[in-house]
Amino acid sequence: MTMPAPQAASLDQKYEIAHLTLVPKRHIGRMVTAALVLAALAALVRAFSVGQIEWSYVRDFLFAPAILQGLQSTLVMTVAAMTLGIVLGVVIALMRVSGNPVLSSIAVGYVWIFRGAPALLQLMIWFNLALIFPTMGIPGLFEFRTVDIMTPFVAAMLGLGISQGAYTSEVVRSGLLSVDSGQYEAARSIGMTQMVMLRRIVLPQAMRVMVPPIGNEVIGMVKLTSLASVIQYSEILHNAQIIYFANTRVLELLLVASFWYLAVVSVLSIVQHYIEQYFGRGSKAVSASM
Amino acid sequence: MSKEIVVKAVDVTKLFGTFTALDKVSLEIAKGEVCCIIGPSGSGKSTFLRCINQLEKMNAGAIWVNDELVGYRREGNNLHEISDVEMSRQRRHIGMVFQRFNLFPHKTALENIMEGPVHVLREPIADVHKRAEDLLVRVGLGDKAGHYPSQLSGGQQQRVAIARAMCMRPELILFDEPTSALDPELVSEVLDVMKDLAASGMTMIVVTHELGFARSVANTVAFMEAGKMVEVGPASQVLSSPKSPRTVEFIRAVHG
């Protein structure tokens, strides 16, 4: 294409743009809002600093042995309950999508019950199971007293893990559904059995969809373990409570616990980012953002 | 001249609800033969192809691949459905190339090709690696081994998909409209790979709208319409002087 010949000198000037400067729009509303929010934040910080908080207690108890031991128990419970939750979630999701009507109905029932009842209530039921089943086992083979095995740890793990399984199964199921049917056909066409197809082709692709919500659930689980404090599992909140029952520094100890929850969640968020990158390999959306 | 039959389909019938997708379709393909199945959309071409490797279950009829009944085991007068593991074993000998490529997006081109031989046939990785690289060179993508499918064009993806099927060393490769999802300028690169494959003696069944390809490569052309096998014969005869008036009409319409 060639430029049309200029008609007149004035037109020539009008289209002469090299010396012009672009002036960005000024976002006055944004500045005002930001100032207001910052002011509110400053007021909040000031309130905490002049409030009747003995910050020295927070500092002293931050690394107290009881708190660190509680932190460890919180982490152990998170891993235990989440592992159980993910295993159950995968199994229940596979049952749900299997062609077997009995398995699929059981999976639906499982999600209905364990997603329906509050986690706290489920913890208490497991912890008090001895009231209805004094002994457990297989008759003739082995038997033990329920109170002996249903320790706070076991009860919390079962309560949290089993209810988590109900949620995770829905995440896994949506992951499975997200895999294109052409992938199943391609896997079959190279002679894969169901199991190999699931392990090599379907689950790795489903993971891309599943990792963000499961990461979210792990983070949720870190905090959900605090429920176990009501059945005497010595996680961080429980230990913080024991300390403040003795020294009455309630809020200071609660801040100590908050600090550690935040710290753990921050680390997990970073880990989640890297896991997402790994499972996003080969996908356009992720490679574009890298 | 006695020829070795690779595929023998007898009265294959497939129903989707009350709709008859395939109505007693029969076909016989000899070793090394290239058969193009043509016909209007919805005529059952793809469904028939998918019955051959049992991605689609038949309602009646039977298909033998290399004299082995696919999908079923005969006991007296009963046909028993075979197990998932048995079915997988049968599919190892039947390659398939899909309209939408269906490469595994989380694996590189090379990994896509190696997946079957390594994880299904359990061959030594070093052997498969060598073979897969050779195949990539053969389909003209020697420099794309480490690329993910999302980084390849449609034509390149389809060539990887063909290499993936070939790496299993199948006795038969099924092509389900392999160029229909491609931009027009990418069609010939895929057809060239298929021509090369045909020349090497591979038995191929190709569902296609590319009559030019059928004319130059196919030994046999089958015309299907409304679930029926209307006409089967030597490519030149079916394409140049078809017997059925419907085939005449179809070929004229495609050529515009």
Side-chain angles (χ1 to χ4, degrees):
Chain A
M1 212 199 297
T2 55
M3 293 289 284
Q7 300 291 314
S10 63
L11 265 182
D12 240 11
Q13 257 175 354
K14 180 177 174 188
Y15 294 122
E16 185 58 58
I17 56 165
H19 63 286
L20 301 180
T21 315
L22 284 175
V23 182
K25 184 168 78 175
R26 297 185 61 184
H27 298 277
I28 304 212
R30 262 189 217 178
M31 292 182 208
V32 172
T33 323
L36 284 176
V37 170
L38 284 177
L41 199 62
L44 202 64
V45 170
R46 183 176 173 278
F48 269 87
S49 62
V50 303
Q52 292 174 9
I53 298 175
E54 286 291 343
W55 287 99
S56 61
Y57 276 90
V58 176
R59 196 183 58 230
D60 293 346
F61 278 99
L62 205 51
F63 296 100
I67 293 294
L68 292 183
Q69 181 270 319
L71 174 64
Q72 191 193 339
S73 301
T74 293
L75 293 177
V76 169
M77 179 54 68
T78 303
V79 171
M82 206 60 214
T83 306
L84 180 63
I86 289 176
V87 169
L88 282 173
V90 171
V91 171
I92 296 296
L94 291 177
M95 283 168 66
R96 176 83 188 267
V97 299
S98 78
N100 188 326
V102 173
L103 291 187
S104 150
S105 311
I106 289 176
V108 171
Y110 176 96
V111 173
W112 175 61
I113 289 175
F114 291 104
R115 200 171 58 173
L120 178 58
L121 186 148
Q122 293 185 44
L123 283 187
M124 294 164 75
I125 288 180
W126 285 107
F127 191 55
N128 292 304
L129 207 62
L131 296 178
I132 47 171
F133 303 119
T135 61
M136 285 162 80
I138 297 175
L141 266 179
F142 62 90
E143 206 171 87
F144 35 70
R145 298 198 312 143
T146 304
V147 283
D148 291 341
I149 55 151
M150 207 46 85
T151 59
F153 176 83
V154 172
M157 184 184 76
L158 289 177
L160 294 173
I162 290 174
S163 69
Q164 185 60 53
Y167 288 96
T168 306
S169 78
E170 290 294 280
V171 172
V172 174
R173 193 166 69 93
S174 65
L176 293 176
L177 293 179
S178 77
V179 178
D180 184 61
S181 65
Q183 292 293 309
Y184 290 82
E185 295 185 345
R188 289 210 188 90
S189 79
I190 56 171
M192 285 190 173
T193 56
Q194 296 272 7
M195 282 310 292
V196 177
M197 172 169 76
L198 211 56
R199 193 165 50 80
R200 301 281 316 166
I201 306 300
V202 177
L203 280 179
Q205 289 184 61
M207 285 302 270
R208 195 171 65 81
V209 177
M210 282 154 48
V211 165
I214 286 185
N216 212 20
E217 291 185 339
V218 171
I219 285 169
M221 181 59 80
V222 172
K223 296 168 293 161
L224 213 56
T225 55
S226 60
L227 290 182
S229 61
V230 300
I231 56 168
Q232 316 307 321
Y233 178 64
S234 62
E235 47 72 63
I236 191 163
L237 181 60
H238 180 257
N239 288 8
Q241 282 178 313
I242 288 181
I243 296 172
Y244 72 61
F245 288 150
N247 71 3
T248 71
R249 288 292 166 187
V250 177
L251 207 77
E252 286 79 354
L253 265 302
L254 290 180
L255 285 178
V256 166
S258 313
F259 170 84
W260 284 115
Y261 281 117
L262 261 178
V264 171
V265 168
S266 307
V267 171
L268 287 176
S269 305
I270 296 169
V271 173
Q272 181 186 5
H273 171 75
Y274 285 104
I275 298 180
E276 272 178 37
Q277 265 191 357
Y278 173 77
F279 282 108
R281 68 195 190 283
S283 118
K284 264 183 188 150
V286 173
S287 31
S289 73
M290 280 196 296
Chain B
M1 181 178 110
S2 79
K3 48 183 188 174
E4 199 181 321
I5 297 300
V6 176
V7 179
K8 186 170 177 63
V10 177
D11 290 346
V12 176
T13 300
K14 170 74 188 176
L15 309 171
F16 290 114
T18 55
F19 174 72
T20 307
L22 293 176
D23 188 2
K24 296 196 169 185
V25 173
S26 299
L27 190 66
E28 208 174 83
I29 310 285
K31 191 172 173 57
E33 187 176 331
V34 177
C35 172
C36 283
I37 304 180
I38 60 171
S41 300
S43 58
K45 313 181 294 287
S46 292
T47 307
F48 175 64
L49 199 70
R50 293 156 58 82
C51 283
I52 297 176
N53 69 351
Q54 290 292 294
L55 286 182
E56 213 73 74
K57 221 183 264 177
M58 299 168 270
N59 294 87
I63 297 175
W64 287 262
V65 172
N66 273 329
D67 220 25
E68 186 180 349
L69 194 58
V70 295
Y72 298 90
R73 187 182 59 248
R74 185 168 175 173
E75 280 175 21
N77 284 333
N78 292 332
L79 291 179
H80 295 267
E81 266 182 47
I82 58 176
S83 69
D84 173 48
V85 174
E86 269 298 293
M87 192 96 89
S88 309
R89 192 187 55 73
Q90 289 186 338
R91 288 196 183 110
R92 291 173 189 181
H93 311 293
I94 309 171
M96 182 148 188
V97 174
F98 299 88
Q99 181 178 359
R100 301 223 49 97
F101 331 133
N102 296 350
L103 290 181
F104 306 129
H106 58 306
K107 296 183 183 297
T108 63
L110 191 70
E111 287 169 346
N112 262 281
I113 299 175
M114 293 176 62
E115 183 67 23
V118 172
H119 293 281
V120 176
L121 303 178
R122 307 221 162 269
E123 293 180 35
I125 290 182
D127 297 3
V128 177
H129 192 272
K130 174 81 177 62
R131 193 160 92 228
E133 279 184 330
D134 290 349
L135 279 170
L136 269 177
V137 172
R138 184 167 163 193
V139 300
L141 297 169
D143 55 334
K144 304 287 186 198
H147 284 56
Y148 285 100
S150 60
Q151 299 165 323
L152 299 173
S153 74
Q156 292 170 335
Q157 288 188 54
Q158 193 62 298
R159 285 186 280 157
V160 173
I162 294 173
R164 175 174 70 181
M166 286 160 73
C167 204
M168 292 291 288
R169 294 186 170 137
E171 282 138 23
L172 161 75
I173 300 185
L174 310 172
F175 293 82
D176 188 5
E177 304 203 22
T179 57
S180 299
L182 296 176
D183 291 337
E185 76 271 24
L186 302 177
V187 168
S188 65
E189 65 184 52
V190 171
L191 292 183
D192 286 345
V193 168
M194 290 169 62
K195 280 176 193 166
D196 167 56
L197 192 56
S200 74
M202 176 60 72
T203 311
M204 297 160 62
I205 305 181
V206 186
V207 168
T208 187
H209 294 292
E210 298 288 336
L211 296 191
F213 173 81
R215 184 167 284 118
S216 64
V217 180
N219 310 106
T220 316
V221 168
F223 175 71
M224 284 183 70
E225 187 180 47
K228 288 193 173 67
M229 191 61 85
V230 177
E231 182 165 1
V232 187
S236 52
Q237 181 252 303
V238 175
L239 293 171
S240 306
S241 48
K243 293 185 180 117
S244 149
R246 277 303 299 134
T247 317
V248 176
E249 232 173 278
F250 176 77
I251 290 173
R252 191 185 300 142
V254 170
H255 281 311

